[in-house]
């Protein structure tokens, strides 16, 4: 029988040269260079969200290094160097054209993690994730690769404190005073809102998705809510993660064994209960796709069921920013996300038999963690909730034939009479025109206006930018004047947005969706009794036909695309424009062409030509 050294000699020396070199540099056993590889990866970017990632990745890498080797109690695996993905900062880019790259960052992360895992043949992965799009891209790639893996949140930033009022503040506080003429106030809040480092601390998109990833089973629940600067993330969690990954490898528990129809449904229910971000309805379909469920509303949860649960079954159980008072670090002090999960399990609203990355079922993980009962100030119970109905509602109607439009009901501050809002349309072809108006002539907005922002969808933007700057300014305007101004868009929102705001309206304007046909002053109705978003004028078939004909003529005269589409000046933006699917399927660069709402083709002028099934 050949010894290990003889076996190594039999391998290709060209390939051996680098694997030997890596093992020497990392200080690991040279006899393991042909064993399955194991390693750590992290998300990086240009904001405070990512500043704590490197330290955690390196600490986990060091813990993993101590556990690989030829000793029977060690992992007999080849350790590889840490890898990092790149993404942009939502907080810095909101209100700019660069915001178009935000959702694209999810796709770029997916691609880069896929390249790393698949090309390297990684058999065990620990991922440290930050901000809100890269974690979803990371999880999607992990599900596609489908080898043992586990995720840890990098953690939230701690709230700032207003030095004059003593109140807790955060990045949303800064956005909501953007329209103020008090320059000293704006400077003070900007300097004090984001101390330290970590991802956004309220129940915005980051913490919505970290909660989702924990409940869906890919992150230990007790690792979701501690702050990025919490010492547990350096001194305790790394060794725990290595233990858990070792168990996953030993038992061959794979990501697709964990992320199933039932676990995704659990995660949706908890997202409702925490008043989560509207972005969950872009990310859940993408995660589902990667787990093998290509049609979310057919394979996981129908829109009717989603709305029934949100309206009649699942209340909001946290008093959290942006619609409440507290942040994720406050939730952590009261026992963490596991408190909410236990309460929902006890109420019979979750399936406790699903597998998790701890090697336990969800129920067993909760039993071991033994969280306290809801405190009734930060975390509420299902029996005595913070808000009586779930935080999200999906709308159909003649403006949303895709049934993709979504409202964060938990964030609505007024304007609904008997669950109905009726307003006059004020149209803007692109967010920049809206921001210019808010800056220069905010007095034009009147009570019960509904702002329509279009050509900002997955194709139109391209990239479906979120509109935290716009929604924050409108929120402040409404509070100051005691009026209601609603907003609807084929783009999307930050999890920090509040007010009567409706995103993901589809089909989008760029492909001739009804939102493109709204005229200034049209009558728009939001009816939550029947979950519809409608324009009275477009109920008239003749008006609809005339307006569509006018829109089509504009497109044809412009060489095949509407002139209000966002400029495409990079290969990445071009890729998004020509491969994006609708919000219904996650608004990403979907690999399944059969699911495309539109079928783009190239004209002589290299422009997008809509082929719209809704004509």
């Amino acid at each position: 029988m050949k010894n290990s050294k003889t076996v190594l000699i039999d391998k290709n020396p060209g390939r051996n040269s680098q694997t030997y070199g890596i093992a020497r540099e990392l200080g690991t056993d040279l006899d393991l260079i042909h064993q399955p590889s194991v390693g750590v990866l992290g998300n990086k970017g240009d904001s405070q969200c990512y500043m704590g990632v490197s330290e955690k990745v390196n600490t986990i890498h060091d813990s993993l290094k101590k556990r690989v080797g030829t000793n029977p109690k060690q992992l007999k695996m080849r350790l590889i160097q840490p890898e990092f993905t790149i993404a942009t900062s939502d907080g810095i880019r909101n209100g700019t054209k660069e915001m178009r790259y935000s959702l694209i960052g999810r796709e770029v992360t997916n691609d880069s993690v896929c390249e790393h895992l698949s090309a390297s043949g990684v058999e065990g992965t620990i991922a440290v994730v930050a901000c809100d799009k890269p974690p979803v891209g990371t999880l999607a790639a992990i599900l596609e690769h489908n080898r043992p893996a586990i995720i840890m949140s990098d953690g939230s930033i701690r709230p700032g404190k207003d030095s004059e009022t003593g109140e807790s503040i955060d990045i949303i506080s800064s956005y909501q005073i953007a329209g103020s003429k008090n320059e000293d106030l704006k400077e003070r809040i900007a300097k004090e809102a984001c101390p330290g480092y970590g991802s956004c601390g309220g129940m915005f998109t980051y913490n919505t998705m970290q909660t989702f990833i924990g409940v869906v089973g890919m992150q230990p629940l007790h690792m979701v809510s501690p702050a990025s600067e919490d010492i547990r993330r350096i001194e305790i969690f790394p060794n725990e993660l290595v233990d858990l990954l070792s168990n996953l490898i030993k038992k061959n528990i794979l990501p697709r064994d964990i992320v199933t129809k039932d676990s995704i449904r659990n995660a949706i229910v908890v997202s409702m209960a925490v008043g989560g971000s509207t972005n969950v309805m872009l990310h859940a379909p993408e995660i589902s796709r990667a787990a093998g469920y290509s049609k979310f509303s057919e394979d996981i949860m129908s829109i009717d069921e989603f709305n029934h649960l949100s309206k009649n079954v699942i209340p909001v159980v946290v008093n959290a920013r942006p619609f409440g008072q507290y942040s994720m670090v406050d939730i952590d002090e009261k026992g963490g996300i596991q408190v909410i999960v236990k309460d929902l399990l006890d109420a019979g609203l979750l399936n406790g038999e699903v597998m998790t990355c701890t090697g336990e079922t969800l129920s067993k993980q909760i039993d071991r963690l033994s969280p306290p009962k809801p405190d009734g100030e930060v975390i509420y119970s299902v029996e005595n909730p913070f808000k009586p109905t779930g935080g999200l509602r999906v709308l159909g109607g003649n403006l949303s034939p895709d049934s993709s439009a979504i409202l964060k009901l938990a964030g609505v501050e007024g304007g609904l009479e008997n669950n109905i809002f009726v307003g006059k349309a004020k149209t803007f072809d692109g967010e920049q025109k809206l921001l210019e108006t808010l800056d220069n002539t905010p007095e034009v907005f009147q009570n019960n206006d509904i702002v329509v922002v279009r050509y900002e969808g997955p194709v139109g933007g391209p990239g479906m930018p979120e509109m935290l700057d716009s929604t924050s300014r409108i929120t402040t305007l409404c509070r100051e004047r005691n009026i209601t101004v609603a907003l609807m868009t084929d783009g999307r929102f930050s999890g920090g947005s509040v007010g009567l705001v409706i995103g993901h309206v589809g089909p989008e304007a760029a492909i001739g969706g009804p939102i493109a046909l709204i005229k200034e002053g049209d009558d728009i109705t939001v009816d939550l009794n029947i979950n519809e978003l409608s324009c009275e004028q477009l109920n008239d078939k003749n008006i609809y036909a005339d307006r569509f004909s006018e829109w089509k003529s504009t497109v044809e005269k412009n060489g095949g695309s509407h002139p209000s589409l966002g400029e495409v000046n990079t290969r990445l933006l071009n890729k998004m424009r020509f491969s994006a699917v609708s919000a219904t399927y996650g608004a990403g660069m979907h690999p399944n062409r059969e699911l495309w709402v539109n079928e783009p083709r190239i004209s002589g002028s290299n422009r997008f030509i809509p082929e719209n099934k809704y004509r």
Side-chain angles (χ1 to χ4, degrees):
M1 183 176 179
K2 297 180 180 180
N3 61 38
S4 61
K5 294 188 183 299
T6 304
V7 172
L8 290 179
I9 291 170
D10 286 345
K11 302 290 183 180
N12 185 296
R15 292 195 293 269
N16 287 353
S17 61
Q18 284 206 335
T19 49
Y20 273 133
I22 291 168
R24 281 195 302 268
E25 292 301 316
L26 295 181
T28 55
D29 198 317
L30 298 184
D31 290 339
L32 296 177
I33 67 167
H34 293 295
Q35 295 298 321
S37 57
V38 63
V40 188
L41 65 90
N43 300 149
K44 293 297 291 293
D46 64 340
S47 74
Q48 285 169 291
C49 306
Y50 306 101
M51 293 181 74
V53 172
S54 293
E55 181 182 17
K56 297 175 186 70
V57 166
N58 291 333
T59 302
I60 295 168
H61 175 83
D62 290 342
S63 296
L64 195 56
K65 179 179 174 181
K66 295 173 184 176
R67 297 287 293 279
V68 298
T70 54
N71 185 304
K73 293 184 178 180
Q74 292 179 302
L75 286 167
K76 191 177 180 182
M77 302 184 78
R78 178 173 81 93
L79 183 65
I80 57 178
Q81 62 267 47
E83 294 290 347
F84 293 92
T85 66
I86 296 296
T88 191
S89 165
D90 290 2
I92 296 172
R93 297 305 175 324
N94 253 285
T96 73
K97 291 182 178 180
E98 286 74 32
M99 191 65 203
R100 298 182 296 169
Y101 287 95
S102 171
L103 186 60
I104 292 175
R106 183 188 71 184
E107 311 301 294
V108 172
T109 299
N110 189 322
D111 288 350
S112 61
V113 175
C114 178
E115 159 80 9
H116 171 58
L117 297 180
S118 299
S120 302
V122 182
E123 288 291 310
T125 304
I126 300 173
V128 181
V129 295
C131 202
D132 55 323
K133 313 308 179 300
V136 179
T138 298
L139 176 54
I142 283 171
L143 285 164
E144 290 168 340
H145 186 61
N146 203 33
R147 299 307 303 159
I150 191 167
I151 289 174
M152 182 184 78
S153 160
D154 175 68
S156 300
I157 192 169
R158 298 185 189 278
K161 181 175 285 189
D162 187 323
S163 58
E164 290 195 5
T165 67
E167 295 178 354
S168 292
I169 55 175
D170 56 24
I171 190 170
I172 305 304
S173 309
S174 300
Y175 271 99
Q176 289 182 347
I177 62 167
S180 171
K181 303 301 181 184
N182 187 334
E183 297 301 324
D184 290 338
L185 171 67
K186 289 193 287 188
E187 182 178 2
R188 187 181 82 249
I189 297 300
K191 287 180 176 178
E192 296 174 352
C194 296
Y197 55 82
S199 297
C200 290
M203 194 53 70
F204 313 149
T205 308
Y206 170 72
N207 279 314
T208 300
M209 295 317 302
Q210 289 313 307
T211 301
F212 189 105
I213 292 169
V215 175
V216 87
M218 287 301 295
Q219 174 170 205
L221 287 170
H222 68 290
M223 296 186 188
V224 174
S225 52
S228 180
E229 295 180 275
D230 193 301
I231 197 65
R232 287 172 289 178
R233 294 199 179 278
I234 296 297
E235 294 188 353
I236 298 175
F237 294 170
N239 284 324
E240 289 183 0
L241 288 164
V242 176
D243 286 340
L244 293 172
L245 180 65
S246 299
N247 182 60
L248 294 172
I249 293 170
K250 179 181 178 181
K251 296 183 177 180
N252 197 34
I253 299 174
L254 305 179
R256 287 193 178 194
D257 298 328
I258 295 168
V259 182
T260 64
K261 174 180 178 177
D262 288 333
S263 68
I264 296 170
R265 286 172 62 88
N266 280 348
I268 290 291
V269 166
V270 178
S271 297
M272 293 178 185
V274 298
S277 167
T278 52
N279 284 305
V280 74
M281 289 306 286
L282 297 178
H283 298 326
E286 170 61 10
I287 290 168
S288 300
R289 175 203 64 77
Y293 306 99
S294 50
K295 296 184 178 180
F296 179 85
S297 62
E298 295 179 19
D299 299 331
I300 305 296
M301 182 180 288
S302 71
I303 298 304
D304 287 343
E305 183 182 10
F306 181 96
N307 284 332
H308 168 72
L309 290 172
S310 185
K311 181 179 180 180
N312 303 309
V313 181
I314 312 298
V316 175
V317 297
V318 290
N319 177 8
R321 295 272 287 159
F323 53 83
Q325 183 177 354
Y326 296 103
S327 68
M328 186 58 97
V329 296
D330 299 306
I331 292 172
D332 185 58
E333 288 178 2
K334 300 301 181 181
I337 289 298
Q338 53 268 37
V339 175
I340 298 167
V341 175
K342 184 179 189 307
D343 187 63
L344 289 165
L345 277 169
D346 291 345
L349 297 174
L350 299 177
N351 182 340
E353 298 308 306
V354 294
M355 177 58 64
T356 73
C357 63
T358 66
E360 308 158 300
T361 64
L362 181 63
S363 291
K364 291 291 185 184
Q365 185 183 171
I366 288 294
D367 288 345
R368 176 176 53 80
L369 293 173
S370 188
K373 292 184 179 297
D375 67 291
E377 181 182 355
V378 178
I379 303 174
Y380 289 68
S381 67
V382 172
E383 187 176 340
N384 294 294
F386 180 62
K387 290 180 180 248
T389 60
L392 300 170
R393 196 71 62 83
V394 176
L395 309 178
N398 71 8
L399 288 177
S400 181
D402 276 354
S403 292
S404 59
I406 186 162
L407 167 70
K408 184 172 181 174
L409 191 56
V412 174
E413 297 186 344
L416 292 171
E417 287 280 342
N418 299 317
N419 287 320
I420 297 173
F421 169 86
V422 179
K424 295 289 186 181
K426 190 170 288 293
T427 60
F428 297 89
D429 286 359
E431 187 191 17
Q432 292 302 314
K433 292 182 180 179
L434 170 60
L435 287 171
E436 289 169 9
T437 304
L438 285 166
D439 271 342
N440 300 320
T441 55
E443 65 276 4
V444 303
F445 297 98
Q446 301 299 315
N447 190 37
N448 291 332
D449 279 346
I450 181 163
V451 173
V452 179
V453 185
R454 55 200 177 192
Y455 299 104
E456 295 287 13
V459 170
M464 205 180 190
E466 68 184 32
M467 301 181 187
L468 178 59
D469 198 353
S470 298
T471 59
S472 297
R473 291 173 189 245
I474 289 173
T475 295
T476 301
L477 183 150
C478 290
R479 290 174 180 174
E480 289 176 347
R481 293 171 54 188
N482 194 28
I483 62 174
T484 295
V485 175
L487 186 150
M488 60 174 282
T489 180
D490 52 10
R492 61 188 180 87
F493 301 120
S494 162
S497 294
V498 294
L500 187 52
V501 293
I502 300 166
H504 312 182
V505 176
E508 60 175 293
I511 63 170
I515 189 174
L517 311 182
I518 298 172
K519 298 284 189 180
E520 190 87 4
D522 277 359
D523 299 296
I524 310 294
T525 300
V526 181
D527 190 337
L528 300 187
N529 297 307
I530 56 175
N531 297 315
E532 289 191 353
L533 173 67
S534 302
C535 173
E536 180 179 335
Q537 284 73 15
L538 294 183
N539 284 325
D540 186 314
K541 292 182 180 180
N542 292 326
I543 292 176
Y544 192 107
D546 288 344
R547 290 187 183 182
F548 187 82
S549 178
E550 179 185 351
W551 178 87
K552 183 180 177 183
S553 175
T554 300
V555 169
E556 290 173 347
K557 289 176 181 177
N558 195 54
S561 65
H562 196 279
S564 295
L565 267 63
E567 180 187 8
V568 169
N569 54 11
T570 66
R571 189 173 72 167
L572 193 53
L573 290 176
N574 190 66
K575 182 180 178 182
M576 186 68 176
R577 172 154 292 166
F578 282 87
S579 64
V581 292
S582 71
T584 307
Y585 298 110
M589 301 176 189
H590 207 299
N592 188 350
R593 290 175 62 92
E594 293 178 0
L595 298 181
W596 286 16
V597 169
N598 52 287
E599 185 70 25
R601 65 178 184 265
I602 305 295
S603 72
S605 59
N606 199 33
R607 294 292 187 96
F608 180 83
I609 301 180
E611 291 290 341
N612 181 10
K613 69 180 182 181
Y614 295 100
R615 291 181 183 177

